[in-house]
């Protein structure tokens, strides 16, 4: 254990060990072995980080937009210069397959987020003018909140950290970021590199368990904005904790997204769109946006099932560093237990179409990894647990339907409302579904096509708000009489 890499928090531009002296083990999900140690921080570290961010805020927010943009572009260079290292750390920490890594090699993927934020800095300070009468003018100006708390999930740590932090500081805020305890090393290393570029205190990183770090962070009276990507249950706890200070929140939460295939669809596109791209190879199904309820019109049901099974058979599960691997392991033992528990529930309440196996026999060369194969069930009952609860693994359910009305009713019969997919050639149907489906995102004849120029957020238990530069500012009104 003494030879393991030891990562530290980043507070006020310095690398700092946790005040308690305690550390957490970081587990390689492909082997089940400890490969690094990260700070088990507590309230003391949170207080220091928030204090550093609070003190850095006046100077950072006073910096002209062009000055902030200059810093942001330098941060983008981190991913161009250190892409190989950050890719390796991400793969070691979360086990996603190399070809789907959130830090692609060669560099360019996440650098774009920081370059984009640099280009948006002027938007964050642009106000409006409204003539009220001949002698009176109303004006608005946009101002940063102050200290922003950013809480990042394990399934896309560097991507989420970059998205949240870049927009927050572009708007003139300062940030205290909590990495996921399951996958902190890549973000903490990124924080080390950030500290070489940004002024002290602008971005601080404190790792640890949610109860020890997240809770005091969201309760802190100096935190004026919270952005969190995670589960609805966590969001509810944060919202209750933030209520005392009336802290503004952004929540991007879970999903149980319908992916609907009509008989007139192009099945050559639809079959991979509801199988590989949408569910299985996106972090082994650990994606809130995955279309895990697949609605198929009955005339094409058998053909679609055959096509989906053929695609699933081509998926290669294994070592994330193997270029032939197309699906890696789940993140941890608790997540493995949760997902495999749902598989056993599914075997009892629905028809198993394919898959259903899990454990070391799937990848004998890595017996300690958290391996689950792509699994598909079929049922006519959307009320089943496997249809209503977020599994967060490579497990989906097919639900046959006959009519448009039935498809809409099934699609909307969920407490979630993050995303939906529709596969059809009927333009009138497309317009009806975009209107009637209750979700924050609708993809038509594609899935998981996202662009940062477009908002990404949910409704119902999938949250509210989205990480946009305007969300990190407040609008002030002034009226001037002459």
């Amino acid at each position: 254990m003494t030879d393991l890499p030891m990562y530290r928090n980043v507070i006020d531009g310095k690398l700092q060990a946790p005040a308690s002296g305690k550390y957490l083990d970081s587990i390689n999900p492909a082997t089940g072995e400890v490969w690094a140690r990260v700070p088990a921080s507590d309230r003391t570290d949170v207080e220091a980080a928030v204090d550093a961010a609070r003190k850095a805020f006046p100077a950072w927010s006073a910096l002209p937009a062009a000055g902030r943009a200059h810093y942001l572009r330098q941060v983008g260079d981190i991913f161009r210069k250190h892409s190989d290292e950050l890719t390796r750390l991400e793969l070691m920490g979360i086990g996603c397959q190399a070809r789907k890594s959130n830090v692609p090699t060669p560099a360019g993927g996440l650098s774009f987020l920081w370059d984009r934020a640099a280009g948006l800095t002027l938007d964050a300070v642009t106000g409006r003018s409204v003539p009220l009468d001949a002698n009176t003018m109303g004006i608005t100006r946009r101002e940063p909140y102050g200290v922003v708390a950013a809480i990042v999930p394990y399934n896309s740590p560097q991507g989420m950290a970059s998205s949240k932090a870049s927009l927050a500081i572009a708007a003139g805020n300062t940030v205290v970021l909590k990495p996921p305890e399951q996958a902190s090393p890549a973000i903490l290393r990124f924080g080390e590199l950030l500290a070489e570029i940004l002024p002290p205190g602008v971005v601080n990183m404190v790792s640890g368990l949610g109860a020890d770090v997240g809770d005091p962070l969201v309760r802190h009276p100096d935190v004026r904005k919270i952005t969190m990507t995670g589960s609805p249950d966590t969001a509810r706890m944060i919202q209750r904790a933030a209520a005392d200070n009336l802290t503004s929140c952004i929540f991007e939460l879970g999903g149980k997204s319908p992916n609907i295939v009509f008989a007139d669809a192009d099945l050559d596109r639809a079959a991979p769109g509801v199988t590989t791209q949408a569910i299985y190879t996106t972090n082994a199904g650990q994606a809130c946006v995955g279309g895990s309820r697949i609605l198929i019109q009955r005339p094409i049901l058998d053909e679609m099932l055959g096509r989906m099974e053929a695609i699933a058979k081509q998926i290669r599960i294994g070592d994330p560093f193997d270029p032939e691997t197309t699906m890696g392991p789940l993140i941890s033992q608790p997540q493995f237990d949760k997902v495999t528990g749902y598989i056993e529930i599914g075997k009892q309440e629905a028809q198993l179409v394919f898959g259903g196996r899990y454990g070391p026999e799937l990848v004998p060369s890595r017996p300690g990894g958290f391996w689950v194969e792509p699994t598909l069930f079929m049922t006519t009952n959307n009320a089943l647990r496997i249809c209503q609860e977020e599994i967060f693994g490579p497990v989906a359910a097919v639900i046959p339907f006959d009519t448009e009305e039935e498809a809409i009713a099934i699609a909307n019969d969920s407490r979630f409302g993050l995303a939906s997919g529709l596969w059809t050639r009927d333009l009138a149907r497309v317009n009806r579904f975009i209107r009637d489906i209750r979700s924050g995102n609708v993809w038509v004849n594609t899935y998981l096509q996202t662009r940062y120029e477009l908002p990404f957020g949910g409704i119902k238990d999938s949250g509210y708000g989205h990480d946009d530069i305007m969300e990190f500012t407040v609008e002030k009104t002034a009226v001037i009489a002459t």
Side-chain angles (χ1 to χ4, degrees), residues 282-302:
T282 305
N283 288 348
Q286 297 168 113
C288 56
V289 77
S292 55
R293 289 186 299 147
I294 303 169
L295 282 57
I296 302 177
Q297 201 165 27
R298 290 187 191 276
I300 58 169
L301 178 61
D302 290 341

Side-chain angles (χ1 to χ4, degrees), residues 410-432:
I410 295 170
N412 289 338
D413 181 20
S414 172
R415 65 188 180 95
F416 295 104
L418 184 58
S420 56
L422 176 66
W423 304 82
T424 181
R425 292 184 171 94
D426 187 330
L427 183 57
R429 176 184 290 143
V430 168
N431 289 329
R432 289 191 294 272

Side-chain angles (χ1 to χ4, degrees), residues 154 232 254-257 279-280 283-288 290-293 330-331 334-347 349-350 372-373 375-377 384-398 415-416:
Y154 67 74
K256 198 68 180 177
S257 301
I279 306 167
Y280 302 131
N283 288 348
Q286 297 168 113
C288 56
S292 55
R293 289 186 299 147
L330 297 181
I331 184 71
Q335 188 63 19
F336 176 85
D337 294 341
K338 175 187 174 184
V339 172
T340 56
Y342 275 110
I343 289 175
E344 294 307 314
I345 290 170
K347 290 176 180 178
E349 63 182 19
V372 177
E373 72 176 347
T375 298
L376 185 69
F377 293 100
L384 298 181
R385 289 185 64 186
I386 60 169
C387 298
Q388 290 294 319
E389 299 175 16
E390 187 176 37
I391 298 173
F392 222 64
V395 182
V398 162
R415 65 188 180 95
F416 295 104

Side-chain angles (χ1 to χ4, degrees), residues 10-14 47-63 68 71 144-148 168-169 171-176 198-204 222:
V10 181
I11 300 175
D12 201 23
K14 304 179 184 66
E47 292 281 355
V50 174
D51 187 58
R54 179 182 58 80
K55 290 177 179 177
F57 173 69
W60 180 253
S61 60
L63 196 65
R68 294 199 298 271
Y71 278 111
Y145 277 89
V147 179
V148 172
I169 68 172
N173 302 281
T174 53
V175 172
V176 178
L198 295 177
V202 172
V203 175
N204 308 271
D222 288 334

Side-chain angles (χ1 to χ4, degrees), residues 21-44:
K22 298 178 182 178
Y23 286 81
L24 300 172
D25 292 338
S26 186
I27 307 295
N28 182 338
T31 64
E33 298 173 344
V34 178
W35 71 279
R37 307 201 78 204
V38 299
S41 306
D42 58 23
R43 183 180 299 275
T44 302

